[in-house]
Amino acid sequence: MTPIGQIFAQPSLYQVMNTVLTTASPVDVTALKAELANSPFTRLPRFTSLLHRDPMSGQEHWRRTRVIIEDHVKVIDDCSQIGDVNDYLADLAVSCPLPTNKPLWEIHVLPAHSYTIIIRTHHALADGLSMMSLLQSFGCTKSQPAENVKRKPTNAMNDEKKLPIIVWDFFNMIWFTFIYAVELIMRLLVKDDETMLKGGDGVELWPRKLATASFLIEDMKAVKTSVLPNATINDVMLGIVSLGLSLYMHLSSPGVREGTRITAFTMANLRSTSGIPDITDLVTGDSETWWGNKVGFLLHPIRICKPGETDPVQHLKAAQAAMNKKKISKVAHLSHLFLNMARTLFSPKLSAWLFYRAACNTTLLFSNTMGPTREIYMAGNLVTSIKASATGSPQAVTIHAVSYVGKVEMQVLVAKDIVPDPDVLAKCFEEALQNLKKATMHG
């Protein structure tokens, strides 16, 4: 079991990922089961193993078992009363843990919503990128070449830099790593400002509501090209979150204090490749590309500003500036190492407590995962959209974004007693991108 996977396996940090696939035509359950039987779901070690906890040592490990497809595919016949798929997912978030007497994954098919497949996986099995790789192999493309996966630039590729620049880059890396490492440690003690969005200890058990915001990648690229050509789509996403939260908070509570600072607990992929690796490379690859939870954690500051008095583009510029410093540092790798050391030297329970305590003291969780760039098919059925969310976080607001063939679907999962109107929040995020587009057109 990977270090972070063992942390997610702790009862105090029960995390389940729900991946929703919308198809172009009704789901043929028989064909789906047949394809599952010959897919990585029945071959990958973690998907064919039980999570076993030693009663003496308390240590978790995987124990191989036989996968019975019928036990993992659930046809939800009584879902006709469900308002929509998001309502069903919100109910699953707090009321339906995965059974431990079989491998920790399930597939739900909703006949009343005949174009929907929900894949539920325990976070101990995989991270978001691993799941996208699995989807890409399971829902194989028709007559399309494989994804182009490239290794991220490394210091070895910067040999042409002059010595003073190399020294300066090294100094910046050490300095920013130190600053952000201290920030992470202090987050165990220092809380965000109390706002209408703040969750905390035990909030992961509160009833949930879920809403979806949709974006065109073409619009995001237009914004970043006009303002910050070196920005990434992730920078634009963080700018959208910052501006959208400002719009929502001033709409819901006009008296919110100007300059209120909140923090997003963000997930960072630590693999050395960009794009979605082939599943074979993930399973058999080296420590840089392995399957599982190869993620680190970052704290991203968000400043709440009054709409109309601040240029929307400033949210994007602030997001890029903050993330650039985080990228210079090694704090994401350090967070992974720190949790692993606590797990090894003390116990996985301590690592899970540290993760949970830091999350409790932040306002929201944010994750942005690259999905397939080409259409995929499930049992011969075209997948038209991919959405993802994860349950079990103590923040009152969790945001998970997944891109797929030119579109980004953002799932906004909230504790409904704290944020009763996630649909309004999702609309604020969509409005934020449009405001950024208008600002860049007139800039």
Side-chain angles (χ1 to χ4, degrees):
M1 182 173 290
T2 60
I4 300 298
Q6 190 172 27
I7 293 171
F8 282 135
Q10 301 307 304
S12 61
L13 200 66
Y14 192 90
Q15 299 263 338
V16 175
M17 295 187 293
N18 295 317
T19 306
V20 181
L21 309 180
T22 304
T23 57
S25 55
V27 177
D28 184 333
V29 177
T30 301
L32 179 63
K33 288 180 179 179
E35 185 161 347
L36 274 173
N38 296 292
S39 75
F41 277 85
T42 57
R43 296 195 300 269
L44 288 172
R46 288 177 179 80
F47 282 77
T48 56
S49 299
L50 300 174
L51 178 61
H52 178 73
R53 185 172 285 108
D54 189 285
M56 299 297 292
S57 66
Q59 294 293 311
E60 297 81 8
H61 61 270
W62 299 114
R63 176 180 289 176
R64 293 298 290 267
T65 188
R66 179 169 171 262
V67 174
I68 302 174
I69 294 297
E70 285 72 19
D71 291 343
H72 290 269
V73 179
K74 299 177 66 174
V75 180
I76 313 300
D77 292 318
D78 60 347
C79 65
S80 57
Q81 302 302 315
I82 299 172
D84 61 24
V85 176
N86 280 346
D87 292 339
Y88 181 72
L89 290 167
D91 289 340
L92 287 180
V94 292
S95 64
C96 192
L98 292 166
T100 57
N101 61 347
K102 61 184 180 182
L104 297 173
W105 61 273
E106 288 182 342
I107 293 182
H108 292 198
V109 180
L110 280 60
H113 302 273
S114 55
Y115 300 86
T116 301
I117 301 170
I118 300 172
I119 303 174
R120 306 190 70 218
T121 51
H122 195 291
H123 217 320
L125 299 182
D127 59 13
L129 190 67
S130 295
M131 280 303 301
M132 291 302 112
S133 178
L134 174 60
L135 282 180
Q136 193 166 260
S137 64
F138 171 65
C140 56
T141 57
K142 289 186 174 180
S143 304
Q144 293 175 340
E147 295 280 344
N148 220 359
V149 179
K150 299 178 181 179
R151 189 163 293 270
K152 294 177 183 176
T154 63
N155 291 336
M157 302 173 75
N158 297 324
D159 293 337
E160 295 181 1
K161 285 186 176 180
K162 295 182 179 180
L163 182 59
I165 297 177
I166 294 175
V167 172
W168 178 249
D169 287 348
F170 179 76
F171 173 79
N172 278 335
M173 184 269 289
I174 295 296
W175 174 248
F176 286 127
T177 300
F178 172 76
I179 292 296
Y180 295 132
V182 172
E183 180 186 46
L184 270 177
I185 294 170
M186 290 301 296
R187 186 51 59 163
L188 299 173
L189 303 173
V190 179
K191 296 182 179 180
D192 269 359
D193 294 340
E194 290 295 331
T195 66
M196 66 182 71
L197 303 176
K198 186 72 172 65
D201 193 358
V203 172
E204 69 275 10
L205 302 176
W206 293 20
R208 299 272 154 170
K209 291 182 76 174
L210 181 65
T212 304
S214 299
F215 313 93
L216 294 177
I217 292 180
E218 179 181 334
D219 289 344
M220 294 183 175
K221 288 181 177 179
V223 168
K224 82 178 190 71
T225 302
S226 300
V227 183
L228 300 166
N230 294 327
T232 66
I233 293 296
N234 192 65
D235 294 333
V236 177
M237 287 297 305
L238 288 169
I240 289 170
V241 169
S242 176
L243 178 55
L245 288 174
S246 290
L247 292 170
Y248 176 79
M249 292 181 71
H250 280 88
L251 178 66
S252 302
S253 180
V256 64
R257 181 168 59 86
E258 192 72 10
T260 296
R261 292 180 67 88
I262 61 179
T263 307
F265 192 84
T266 65
M267 318 287 275
N269 171 39
L270 301 182
R271 294 175 179 85
S272 60
T273 55
S274 60
I276 303 176
D278 185 86
I279 193 168
T280 303
D281 295 334
L282 281 182
V283 175
T284 63
D286 57 24
S287 61
E288 293 299 314
T289 57
W290 64 4
W291 173 275
N293 286 280
K294 193 168 179 60
V295 293
F297 311 98
L298 302 171
L299 300 177
H300 181 75
I302 294 175
R303 183 170 177 268
I304 302 302
C305 303
K306 189 173 183 179
E309 295 183 4
T310 304
D311 183 357
V313 173
Q314 293 306 313
H315 289 270
L316 174 56
K317 291 182 176 179
Q320 189 206 28
M323 286 308 298
N324 282 349
K325 293 175 182 178
K326 296 287 195 308
K327 291 172 186 175
I328 292 171
S329 79
K330 296 296 182 183
V331 69
H333 292 81
L334 198 62
S335 66
H336 185 100
L337 177 63
F338 178 70
L339 289 174
N340 190 25
M341 287 178 60
R343 178 192 70 95
T344 303
L345 298 177
F346 298 97
S347 72
K349 290 183 179 179
L350 176 61
S351 287
W353 181 86
L354 293 171
F355 181 99
Y356 181 82
R357 181 52 46 194
C360 282
N361 290 340
T362 60
T363 299
L364 68 143
L365 181 145
F366 174 78
S367 174
N368 180 28
T369 304
M370 178 183 180
T373 58
R374 299 177 178 87
E375 293 176 336
I376 63 173
Y377 292 77
M378 302 292 266
N381 201 345
L382 175 65
V383 174
T384 57
S385 78
I386 300 175
K387 297 187 284 285
S389 60
T391 66
S393 296
Q395 294 95 338
V397 180
T398 62
I399 299 171
H400 292 79
V402 176
S403 62
Y404 175 59
V405 288
K407 192 174 181 181
V408 174
E409 301 274 13
M410 176 191 285
Q411 293 288 79
V412 183
L413 183 67
V414 303
K416 66 180 183 181
D417 292 334
I418 297 176
V419 183
D421 49 2
D423 290 324
V424 175
L425 180 55
K427 289 294 183 184
C428 286
F429 290 137
E430 292 178 342
E431 183 182 342
L433 178 57
Q434 297 308 311
N435 288 352
L436 284 169
K437 278 187 64 180
K438 292 176 183 176
T440 56
M441 289 172 62
H442 295 92

